[in-house]
Amino acid sequence: MLLAGKTAVVTGCLQGIGKATLIAFARQGANLFACCQQEDEAFSAFINELAGEHGVSITPVYFDLLDDASIKQAAVSIQKTKQPIDILVNVAGVTLDALFPMVTMAQLQKTFAINFFSQMVFTQYMTRLMLRNKRGSIINIASISGLDGNAGQLAYSASKAAMVAATKTLSAELAPQGIRVNAVAPGVIQTAMTENLPQEVVAEKLAAAALPRLGLAEEVANTLCWLASDAAAYVTGQVIRVDGGIGH
């Protein structure tokens, strides 16, 4: 198993890529801190079943990415377990789409607060835990929109571009401490977020792909497993597209 004996923190676990990542990491033997915004009875039952099936521990951690105090409290709760943190995957995100003339300051601020600012604050806390053991793997979920741009997604694209820049900067800063930092840029993946996109936009993206179909959340999660593992020990500062060859 790729992640046996490792402990991972994953945000945005309630659905989509985050939930698929929990499943993939548990199958690969990782113990997990599963982070999401609020307690959910169905989610609690799901992680209990998943943990039992694969013989790992999965601890739910609830916090609000718009609340700095809540982020700090979550980080402290993880620290108090005294488990060494090997992996952080920043999945949580939001998209508030609008054509440029209609984009509001509130949309920009909320998108950046969730997709970038809060992720960096939480990453600071988790990095301090990794530094104790001089090792770790941080993976940020970016997007092909952050690399290529996408009409109607100014706030989202810009926030994901910020994650790409942060990935490259942090990879340089943290490499001497044994911490690798990479990003994965998904394309059009079959998730609840994609369901909200106009069908013509989805069709246009798929028409430009070498593999003209929707990607699956588990296909992104499988890439995350490899990046998080020792099999990718010489990989840092990279942005890996999981997009079916869009714009190939």
mmCIF file of all heavy atoms in Angstrom, residues 104-126:
data_model
loop_
_atom_site.group_PDB
_atom_site.id
_atom_site.type_symbol
_atom_site.label_atom_id
_atom_site.label_comp_id
_atom_site.label_asym_id
_atom_site.label_seq_id
_atom_site.Cartn_x
_atom_site.Cartn_y
_atom_site.Cartn_z
ATOM 1 N N THR A 104 -18.819 40.955 -8.451
ATOM 2 C CA THR A 104 -18.872 41.903 -7.339
ATOM 3 C C THR A 104 -17.652 41.725 -6.425
ATOM 4 O O THR A 104 -17.011 40.667 -6.413
ATOM 5 C CB THR A 104 -20.140 41.693 -6.501
ATOM 6 O OG1 THR A 104 -20.067 40.412 -5.856
ATOM 7 C CG2 THR A 104 -21.389 41.759 -7.374
ATOM 8 N N MET A 105 -17.383 42.740 -5.644
ATOM 9 C CA MET A 105 -16.293 42.654 -4.681
ATOM 10 C C MET A 105 -16.570 41.556 -3.666
ATOM 11 O O MET A 105 -15.661 40.843 -3.229
ATOM 12 C CB MET A 105 -16.112 43.998 -3.974
ATOM 13 C CG MET A 105 -14.972 44.003 -2.958
ATOM 14 S SD MET A 105 -13.361 43.611 -3.695
ATOM 15 C CE MET A 105 -13.058 45.138 -4.602
ATOM 16 N N ALA A 106 -17.826 41.393 -3.296
ATOM 17 C CA ALA A 106 -18.189 40.345 -2.338
ATOM 18 C C ALA A 106 -17.851 38.957 -2.890
ATOM 19 O O ALA A 106 -17.359 38.082 -2.163
ATOM 20 C CB ALA A 106 -19.669 40.432 -1.995
ATOM 21 N N GLN A 107 -18.122 38.736 -4.183
ATOM 22 C CA GLN A 107 -17.793 37.455 -4.803
ATOM 23 C C GLN A 107 -16.285 37.219 -4.820
ATOM 24 O O GLN A 107 -15.811 36.118 -4.522
ATOM 25 C CB GLN A 107 -18.343 37.397 -6.227
ATOM 26 C CG GLN A 107 -19.854 37.267 -6.301
ATOM 27 C CD GLN A 107 -20.373 37.390 -7.712
ATOM 28 O OE1 GLN A 107 -19.887 38.199 -8.517
ATOM 29 N NE2 GLN A 107 -21.372 36.590 -8.050
ATOM 30 N N LEU A 108 -15.539 38.254 -5.178
ATOM 31 C CA LEU A 108 -14.082 38.133 -5.190
ATOM 32 C C LEU A 108 -13.548 37.821 -3.800
ATOM 33 O O LEU A 108 -12.715 36.932 -3.614
ATOM 34 C CB LEU A 108 -13.450 39.425 -5.710
ATOM 35 C CG LEU A 108 -13.576 39.699 -7.215
ATOM 36 C CD1 LEU A 108 -13.181 41.137 -7.529
ATOM 37 C CD2 LEU A 108 -12.709 38.734 -8.010
ATOM 38 N N GLN A 109 -14.019 38.553 -2.812
ATOM 39 C CA GLN A 109 -13.506 38.381 -1.457
ATOM 40 C C GLN A 109 -13.841 37.007 -0.896
ATOM 41 O O GLN A 109 -12.990 36.351 -0.279
ATOM 42 C CB GLN A 109 -14.065 39.489 -0.553
ATOM 43 C CG GLN A 109 -13.476 40.866 -0.857
ATOM 44 C CD GLN A 109 -14.114 41.970 -0.045
ATOM 45 O OE1 GLN A 109 -15.257 41.861 0.387
ATOM 46 N NE2 GLN A 109 -13.381 43.053 0.157
ATOM 47 N N LYS A 110 -15.081 36.549 -1.099
ATOM 48 C CA LYS A 110 -15.465 35.247 -0.570
ATOM 49 C C LYS A 110 -14.709 34.116 -1.269
ATOM 50 O O LYS A 110 -14.244 33.165 -0.619
ATOM 51 C CB LYS A 110 -16.975 35.027 -0.717
ATOM 52 C CG LYS A 110 -17.438 33.709 -0.093
ATOM 53 C CD LYS A 110 -18.950 33.566 -0.125
ATOM 54 C CE LYS A 110 -19.395 32.259 0.537
ATOM 55 N NZ LYS A 110 -20.870 32.112 0.547
ATOM 56 N N THR A 111 -14.573 34.221 -2.586
ATOM 57 C CA THR A 111 -13.861 33.181 -3.329
ATOM 58 C C THR A 111 -12.414 33.079 -2.884
ATOM 59 O O THR A 111 -11.897 31.980 -2.631
ATOM 60 C CB THR A 111 -13.924 33.456 -4.842
ATOM 61 O OG1 THR A 111 -15.295 33.517 -5.254
ATOM 62 C CG2 THR A 111 -13.219 32.359 -5.627
ATOM 63 N N PHE A 112 -11.740 34.217 -2.761
ATOM 64 C CA PHE A 112 -10.346 34.194 -2.331
ATOM 65 C C PHE A 112 -10.229 33.784 -0.864
ATOM 66 O O PHE A 112 -9.275 33.095 -0.483
ATOM 67 C CB PHE A 112 -9.682 35.547 -2.570
ATOM 68 C CG PHE A 112 -8.989 35.633 -3.895
ATOM 69 C CD1 PHE A 112 -9.705 35.916 -5.051
ATOM 70 C CD2 PHE A 112 -7.629 35.411 -4.001
ATOM 71 C CE1 PHE A 112 -9.081 35.982 -6.286
ATOM 72 C CE2 PHE A 112 -6.991 35.474 -5.229
ATOM 73 C CZ PHE A 112 -7.708 35.764 -6.381
ATOM 74 N N ALA A 113 -11.186 34.185 -0.046
ATOM 75 C CA ALA A 113 -11.145 33.813 1.372
ATOM 76 C C ALA A 113 -11.175 32.299 1.543
ATOM 77 O O ALA A 113 -10.441 31.730 2.362
ATOM 78 C CB ALA A 113 -12.308 34.460 2.113
ATOM 79 N N ILE A 114 -12.034 31.629 0.765
ATOM 80 C CA ILE A 114 -12.169 30.180 0.887
ATOM 81 C C ILE A 114 -11.098 29.442 0.088
ATOM 82 O O ILE A 114 -10.444 28.526 0.602
ATOM 83 C CB ILE A 114 -13.578 29.734 0.438
ATOM 84 C CG1 ILE A 114 -14.631 30.273 1.411
ATOM 85 C CG2 ILE A 114 -13.664 28.207 0.336
ATOM 86 C CD1 ILE A 114 -16.062 29.994 1.002
ATOM 87 N N ASN A 115 -10.899 29.832 -1.162
ATOM 88 C CA ASN A 115 -10.026 29.080 -2.062
ATOM 89 C C ASN A 115 -8.552 29.335 -1.840
ATOM 90 O O ASN A 115 -7.723 28.513 -2.235
ATOM 91 C CB ASN A 115 -10.360 29.405 -3.519
ATOM 92 C CG ASN A 115 -11.708 28.872 -3.946
ATOM 93 O OD1 ASN A 115 -12.456 28.330 -3.138
ATOM 94 N ND2 ASN A 115 -12.036 29.027 -5.210
ATOM 95 N N PHE A 116 -8.197 30.471 -1.228
ATOM 96 C CA PHE A 116 -6.781 30.789 -1.099
ATOM 97 C C PHE A 116 -6.367 31.184 0.311
ATOM 98 O O PHE A 116 -5.548 30.528 0.935
ATOM 99 C CB PHE A 116 -6.382 31.883 -2.097
ATOM 100 C CG PHE A 116 -4.917 32.186 -2.071
ATOM 101 C CD1 PHE A 116 -3.991 31.230 -2.466
ATOM 102 C CD2 PHE A 116 -4.451 33.412 -1.633
ATOM 103 C CE1 PHE A 116 -2.628 31.497 -2.425
ATOM 104 C CE2 PHE A 116 -3.092 33.690 -1.591
ATOM 105 C CZ PHE A 116 -2.174 32.725 -1.990
ATOM 106 N N PHE A 117 -6.935 32.268 0.845
ATOM 107 C CA PHE A 117 -6.462 32.786 2.136
ATOM 108 C C PHE A 117 -6.569 31.736 3.246
ATOM 109 O O PHE A 117 -5.608 31.490 3.979
ATOM 110 C CB PHE A 117 -7.224 34.049 2.528
ATOM 111 C CG PHE A 117 -7.109 35.175 1.535
ATOM 112 C CD1 PHE A 117 -8.190 35.990 1.256
ATOM 113 C CD2 PHE A 117 -5.923 35.417 0.866
ATOM 114 C CE1 PHE A 117 -8.089 37.031 0.334
ATOM 115 C CE2 PHE A 117 -5.806 36.453 -0.052
ATOM 116 C CZ PHE A 117 -6.895 37.263 -0.318
ATOM 117 N N SER A 118 -7.734 31.129 3.381
ATOM 118 C CA SER A 118 -7.930 30.142 4.449
ATOM 119 C C SER A 118 -7.035 28.926 4.255
ATOM 120 O O SER A 118 -6.522 28.350 5.225
ATOM 121 C CB SER A 118 -9.395 29.699 4.495
ATOM 122 O OG SER A 118 -9.761 29.050 3.287
ATOM 123 N N GLN A 119 -6.829 28.525 2.988
ATOM 124 C CA GLN A 119 -5.971 27.376 2.706
ATOM 125 C C GLN A 119 -4.534 27.649 3.137
ATOM 126 O O GLN A 119 -3.846 26.769 3.671
ATOM 127 C CB GLN A 119 -6.000 27.045 1.206
ATOM 128 C CG GLN A 119 -7.375 26.954 0.586
ATOM 129 C CD GLN A 119 -8.102 25.666 0.899
ATOM 130 O OE1 GLN A 119 -7.538 24.702 1.398
ATOM 131 N NE2 GLN A 119 -9.388 25.634 0.626
ATOM 132 N N MET A 120 -4.089 28.886 2.913
ATOM 133 C CA MET A 120 -2.725 29.234 3.307
ATOM 134 C C MET A 120 -2.585 29.284 4.825
ATOM 135 O O MET A 120 -1.571 28.839 5.383
ATOM 136 C CB MET A 120 -2.328 30.570 2.690
ATOM 137 C CG MET A 120 -2.167 30.530 1.166
ATOM 138 S SD MET A 120 -0.898 29.339 0.603
ATOM 139 C CE MET A 120 -1.913 27.935 0.104
ATOM 140 N N VAL A 121 -3.597 29.817 5.507
ATOM 141 C CA VAL A 121 -3.549 29.870 6.969
ATOM 142 C C VAL A 121 -3.504 28.451 7.539
ATOM 143 O O VAL A 121 -2.680 28.129 8.417
ATOM 144 C CB VAL A 121 -4.766 30.635 7.537
ATOM 145 C CG1 VAL A 121 -4.848 30.482 9.056
ATOM 146 C CG2 VAL A 121 -4.683 32.106 7.157
ATOM 147 N N PHE A 122 -4.369 27.578 7.050
ATOM 148 C CA PHE A 122 -4.405 26.201 7.533
ATOM 149 C C PHE A 122 -3.105 25.475 7.198
ATOM 150 O O PHE A 122 -2.579 24.697 8.009
ATOM 151 C CB PHE A 122 -5.604 25.460 6.932
ATOM 152 C CG PHE A 122 -5.865 24.112 7.548
ATOM 153 C CD1 PHE A 122 -6.152 23.995 8.895
ATOM 154 C CD2 PHE A 122 -5.837 22.964 6.783
ATOM 155 C CE1 PHE A 122 -6.403 22.753 9.472
ATOM 156 C CE2 PHE A 122 -6.086 21.722 7.342
ATOM 157 C CZ PHE A 122 -6.365 21.613 8.694
ATOM 158 N N THR A 123 -2.564 25.740 6.022
ATOM 159 C CA THR A 123 -1.296 25.122 5.620
ATOM 160 C C THR A 123 -0.160 25.560 6.541
ATOM 161 O O THR A 123 0.734 24.766 6.855
ATOM 162 C CB THR A 123 -0.971 25.464 4.152
ATOM 163 O OG1 THR A 123 -2.008 24.944 3.308
ATOM 164 C CG2 THR A 123 0.351 24.850 3.711
ATOM 165 N N GLN A 124 -0.179 26.816 6.979
ATOM 166 C CA GLN A 124 0.832 27.265 7.939
ATOM 167 C C GLN A 124 0.816 26.401 9.194
ATOM 168 O O GLN A 124 1.866 25.950 9.669
ATOM 169 C CB GLN A 124 0.593 28.722 8.326
ATOM 170 C CG GLN A 124 1.077 29.742 7.310
ATOM 171 C CD GLN A 124 0.858 31.160 7.805
ATOM 172 O OE1 GLN A 124 -0.154 31.464 8.437
ATOM 173 N NE2 GLN A 124 1.811 32.031 7.517
ATOM 174 N N TYR A 125 -0.368 26.174 9.733
ATOM 175 C CA TYR A 125 -0.487 25.360 10.940
ATOM 176 C C TYR A 125 0.011 23.934 10.700
ATOM 177 O O TYR A 125 0.761 23.377 11.517
ATOM 178 C CB TYR A 125 -1.935 25.315 11.417
ATOM 179 C CG TYR A 125 -2.446 26.598 12.017
ATOM 180 C CD1 TYR A 125 -3.556 27.253 11.488
ATOM 181 C CD2 TYR A 125 -1.833 27.163 13.138
ATOM 182 C CE1 TYR A 125 -4.040 28.434 12.043
ATOM 183 C CE2 TYR A 125 -2.311 28.343 13.699
ATOM 184 C CZ TYR A 125 -3.411 28.974 13.142
ATOM 185 O OH TYR A 125 -3.885 30.141 13.695
ATOM 186 N N MET A 126 -0.397 23.323 9.593
ATOM 187 C CA MET A 126 -0.008 21.948 9.317
ATOM 188 C C MET A 126 1.486 21.838 9.010
ATOM 189 O O MET A 126 2.138 20.848 9.378
ATOM 190 C CB MET A 126 -0.828 21.381 8.146
ATOM 191 C CG MET A 126 -2.316 21.233 8.436
ATOM 192 S SD MET A 126 -2.706 20.149 9.840
ATOM 193 C CE MET A 126 -3.045 21.368 11.117
#
